[in-house]
Structures are given as C-alpha cells and as structure tokens.
Amino acid sequence: MDPVVAVLRFGLLWLLLFLSINLYFLDFRVSWESLIGFQENLGNLTQVPDPGRWTLGLCLLFLSAILKAHWVLPLIQILVTTWFCDRSWKPPTNSSRKRIMQADDSIWSFVQQPDSWVSYHEGRRPRRCPYSCDYDLSDRAYHCSHRSQCLPMYDHFCPWLQSDVYLRTLKQYCFVLAFLPLDGIYSIAVAIYTLTNPEQRLAAPFAASVIFSTSVVLYVGLYNSVPAFHRIVWCNALWPERRGDKWTLVFKVQHGNEWRLHAHKFDKNPYDLGPAANLRQLLGEHWWQWPFFWWSPQRVSRYGNYVDRDLPYADFVSKKYTELVMPDLTSVATDPPRPSPIPGQGPSRRQAARSSASRRTARGAVLKVIRAVAVEISEYCLLLAIGSAASNTLSKNTAAAPDNAPCRSPSLRREQSGTPFVQEHRSCSGKRTVPLA
C-alpha cells in the first residue's frame, strides 16, 4: 500500500498529534518556560530576566500563534461548512436567464458541425447528474461520491482533512496547504535549535517527537500542495476537468420565436482568466481581503447570479458568443479592409477613395457641429459674465447713494434746475417726486 494513502486515512489524527506536541514542547516548554523564564522568576522577584531571551521567547510565541491560526481556523471552517452548512445544496433555478452554459460532453455527439444546434426547453440545463442526484447541474458542479451529493466547483474529497474541497472551501483549503508546511518548517527549526543548545538536553525526546511528526506532515503537505496550487490557483481548473473533456459550452440563441443551443467544444480551459485574475477569483477582488481566510471572494456570493452566466469566462468565450449572436456588430466594429498591394486582390482604388472620402466627410461634419456648439457656449458664458458685472455695479451704486443725495438722472437734473416737468417720475431712492411749477 502506498505510504501516503496509509497516512491519509488518519490525517486528522496526525494533525492533532502534530498540533499537541508543538503546543506543549515548542510553545510551553521552550518559548514560555525556558526563554521567558516566568516560573523561575516567581520564586525570586529580584531576579531580572535576560532581555534577549525574553524577546526571543515572545517572538517565537507570536510567530507560532500566527502560523497555527492560519491553518487550524481554516480547517475548522472547512469541516463545519462541509458537514453542517451545505449538506442540502441544490443548483440555482434561474437557468432561463443564462446565455452561456456548460454542457455534457455527450451533447457533442449530436452536434458535430459548427452550424448545428439543438432545441432548448425553457427552464432546463444541458447538464444532468449521472448519479443519484435527480436534478440539472449548473456550471462546474460535479458529483461527490463520498457524500453522494453534487457541489459547486467541486474539486475532490480530501481524506487528509476528511472534507470536500469545492467553491466555499477552496480559499480555506489553500490557506491550509500554504501555512501547514510553513508551521512544520518552523517547528523543525526550533527543535534543531533545542537539540544544539546544551541547556535543553533534557528536552531531546520531545524534540525527536516533534521532528518525526513534522516530517510526516511536511511530506504529505508538500506532496499535495504543489500540484494543487498549480491547478487551482494558476490554471483555475478542477480535478474533474483535468482531462479537458468538460470544456463543452452551449450558447443560447433566439431564432424567431424559438430558442436554440449552439454547442462549441473548446481546446483550452474556458474558465482560465490568467494567473492574476485567477488569484483574485480565489482570494478576493482586493488585496486587503487576501489575508482573511473567512472573507469569501465574489464568485462565492455571486455563483449562479451573474447576468447571463454562472461564472466568469475567458475573453475568447465572450468573443465566440459575440461572433455567433451578433455578426452585424462585429462587422461594424472592425475597420474596412485596406487596398491590397497585390493586383487583383482587395478593394479597388475607386472603392478605397470613396471610403476615405466618406470618412473625411463624416469627420468634417462632426468637427463643424463641435465648433458650433463651442461658439454657442462661449457666447452664452460671455453674456452671463456681462450681466453679472452690470448687476454687481448697479447694486454697489444703489447701496452707496444716500436718500438726500442729488440724483444723477437727466430728469431729476431738470427738476432741480427749475424746469417744469409734467410727468411723474421716481428718484434714485425710490420716492415719488412732485413736478415743480
């Protein structure tokens, strides 16, 4: 029997043994008792502990707590989520709004030509669980034989953790794969330091136990970490998709009053968005969300609730859908072909001249409209500035002139000079004046 398989059967027991020995020997006996020396100082209060040893003990305790918290707590969340939260998971029932869906590979036997299609039944999916689950499957949902249940983005059942690795536990699983080997390397380093220190010779049996248990954990952890990180993080691929036979997609297209499914089989992973985008899909959209293992990424909360798909696809999938559904828009978006330097191929010179002349005419018309709008806006702004200045000047003059001050208007000057004035008028102060005889 493979030794890895034998160890995996008792994975949780090995992890519990590794954690117990490390907490007792490394954290309590070495960091707390030996370096900090708390119990020795209780009997002699006048003794001052060595600052170097005290600082080293605190640093080792802090580093050990950080490493263990980043794989023990994610492991607990994985167990709780797998065995208690998602025992009755069902695929989303909003398949009528999806335009791109994953299909079973068997549908490709019916659709071998690019222009072939199959009829679409409203509310159904082109995938169905071939096992005991009696319902249609959403994208990247696969069956777990250990629990007899289909799960979204199911990768595999981990016997080391005794839990499923799928959409809601992928981030926590990567935390365990990353920090468990780091904690093992830290444990071996502290154990070797203890064996080489003459003051810690009595702790040699505990150091040997730490090295043995850590070696087993490191062997199994590194045995699974490298391929798992390359598959999940770098390529955004799952274990059931490793052979490439799950990359058949269908595009929902309307022909008159009928909906049809056009199938296409891709030769590369349609879910691979690139290493950087795959990492954001796994850990979170923003970098400050990455250190928090309990912070679910966007695709966990939005699975099945995207606009026209269950999960994001690569750009070549969207391009294929655009070419199939909207050929007119693709022809408009592309530039007209340039004249070919080879005689007899490509558009003629007259066609090229007409095309360039039409483009120049359209460009000139657009520039004329922009110029006219700019002139109108400038004139309007000038009129507003002149009106604002005039109103400010008039308000200042009115506020500065007293009630008994002589008015500067021509009518009032005639009235003050004794010239008879027949019509009634108002002074600058707003009072009605009486014409002189």
Side-chain angles (χ1 to χ4, degrees):
M1 181 182 294
D2 191 357
V4 177
V5 177
V7 172
L8 288 178
R9 290 184 176 181
F10 307 97
L12 289 179
L13 295 179
W14 277 108
L15 291 177
L16 184 60
L17 177 64
F18 167 74
L19 181 63
S20 304
I21 294 177
N22 283 5
L23 287 176
Y24 176 74
F25 173 68
L26 299 180
D27 296 339
F28 180 71
R29 294 291 299 272
V30 176
S31 300
W32 185 255
E33 285 189 348
S34 178
L35 296 178
I36 298 179
F38 181 72
Q39 293 183 354
E40 296 178 1
N41 294 333
L42 287 179
N44 187 6
L45 298 178
T46 61
Q47 181 183 358
V48 179
D50 185 7
R53 295 168 59 88
W54 188 78
T55 304
L56 179 61
L58 285 182
C59 291
L60 291 179
L61 283 177
F62 179 75
L63 182 60
S64 177
I66 292 295
L67 293 176
K68 287 178 174 57
H70 279 78
W71 71 265
V72 174
L73 297 180
L75 175 59
I76 295 175
Q77 184 176 354
I78 290 174
L79 294 174
V80 172
T81 304
T82 301
W83 294 103
F84 298 100
C85 296
D86 289 341
R87 295 186 64 87
S88 59
W89 181 86
K90 294 295 179 62
T93 58
N94 53 356
S95 58
S96 300
R97 295 188 290 107
K98 307 304 176 185
R99 297 292 182 265
I100 305 176
M101 295 178 286
Q102 185 183 11
D104 287 330
D105 191 61
S106 58
I107 197 175
W108 190 249
S109 59
F110 300 98
V111 186
Q112 291 289 345
Q113 301 298 326
D115 296 332
S116 301
W117 52 272
V118 294
S119 300
Y120 173 72
H121 300 283
E122 194 69 25
R124 297 298 304 274
R125 288 268 188 170
R127 294 185 66 224
R128 193 168 183 83
C129 178
Y131 301 98
S132 58
C133 302
D134 189 18
Y135 47 72
D136 296 339
L137 296 180
S138 54
D139 289 1
R140 308 190 82 180
Y142 302 104
H143 188 81
C144 175
S145 58
H146 291 270
R147 296 178 53 193
S148 300
Q149 181 186 4
C150 291
L151 293 171
M153 288 191 64
Y154 172 75
D155 188 77
H156 69 285
F157 179 84
C158 182
W160 177 259
L161 306 180
Q162 290 296 313
S163 58
D164 293 318
V165 180
Y166 63 106
L167 177 66
R168 294 188 60 186
T169 59
L170 276 174
K171 183 176 181 179
Q172 292 77 18
Y173 178 71
C174 291
F175 265 77
V176 174
L177 292 184
F179 284 94
L180 183 58
L182 292 178
D183 192 16
I185 295 173
Y186 159 79
S187 302
I188 290 180
V190 176
I192 293 175
Y193 162 76
T194 305
L195 291 177
T196 57
N197 190 1
E199 300 178 359
Q200 301 291 336
R201 292 191 180 277
L202 297 178
F206 293 99
S209 302
V210 169
I211 294 176
F212 174 72
S213 62
T214 305
S215 300
V216 175
V217 171
L218 277 178
Y219 174 72
V220 178
L222 295 177
Y223 179 83
N224 294 281
S225 298
V226 176
F229 270 113
H230 180 267
R231 183 182 70 252
I232 297 174
V233 181
W234 191 263
C235 301
N236 194 11
L238 303 175
W239 181 258
E241 302 168 351
R242 65 191 183 276
R243 294 188 300 270
D245 57 348
K246 307 294 183 182
W247 295 341
T248 302
L249 303 181
V250 293
F251 304 101
K252 183 180 175 183
V253 184
Q254 185 175 9
H255 291 268
N257 297 327
E258 182 185 8
W259 288 96
R260 298 178 180 179
L261 296 179
H262 291 253
H264 186 82
K265 190 171 185 178
F266 294 92
D267 56 353
K268 54 183 178 180
N269 187 5
Y271 308 101
D272 187 5
L273 309 180
N278 294 338
L279 186 64
R280 290 194 298 269
Q281 287 279 315
L282 177 67
L283 301 180
E285 293 295 326
H286 308 283
W287 63 268
W288 49 268
Q289 300 175 351
W290 297 357
F292 307 109
F293 63 88
W294 62 86
W295 201 303
S296 299
Q298 188 183 52
R299 69 177 179 183
V300 175
S301 58
R302 295 192 60 186
Y303 177 79
N305 294 320
Y306 287 89
V307 177
D308 58 350
R309 60 199 70 186
D310 290 332
L311 287 168
Y313 289 104
D315 293 336
F316 60 87
V317 177
S318 302
K319 183 179 179 181
K320 180 64 180 179
Y321 178 74
T322 304
E323 293 175 354
L324 181 64
V325 179
M326 296 178 288
D328 296 335
L329 294 182
T330 56
S331 62
V332 172
T334 57
D335 295 332
R338 296 183 179 181
S340 174
I342 303 176
Q345 296 185 7
S348 62
R349 294 183 178 178
R350 181 175 298 177
Q351 293 176 352
R354 288 177 181 176
S355 177
S356 60
S358 61
R359 288 198 298 270
R360 287 196 299 269
T361 304
R363 191 183 301 112
V366 172
L367 291 177
K368 286 181 181 180
V369 172
I370 294 175
R371 243 185 246 114
V373 172
V375 170
E376 291 291 338
I377 292 175
S378 61
E379 291 180 356
Y380 180 72
C381 293
L382 182 61
L383 291 177
L384 285 180
I386 294 173
S388 176
S391 62
N392 291 337
T393 304
L394 182 60
S395 61
K396 289 180 180 179
N397 293 338
T398 305
D403 293 343
N404 55 359
C407 185
R408 302 296 182 182
S409 62
S411 60
L412 189 57
R413 284 201 301 268
R414 288 197 302 268
E415 180 181 352
Q416 293 175 351
S417 62
T419 305
F421 194 70
V422 179
Q423 297 180 354
E424 293 183 354
H425 60 279
R426 296 181 182 273
S427 63
C428 295
S429 60
K431 298 180 180 180
R432 184 180 298 276
T433 59
V434 181
L436 299 177

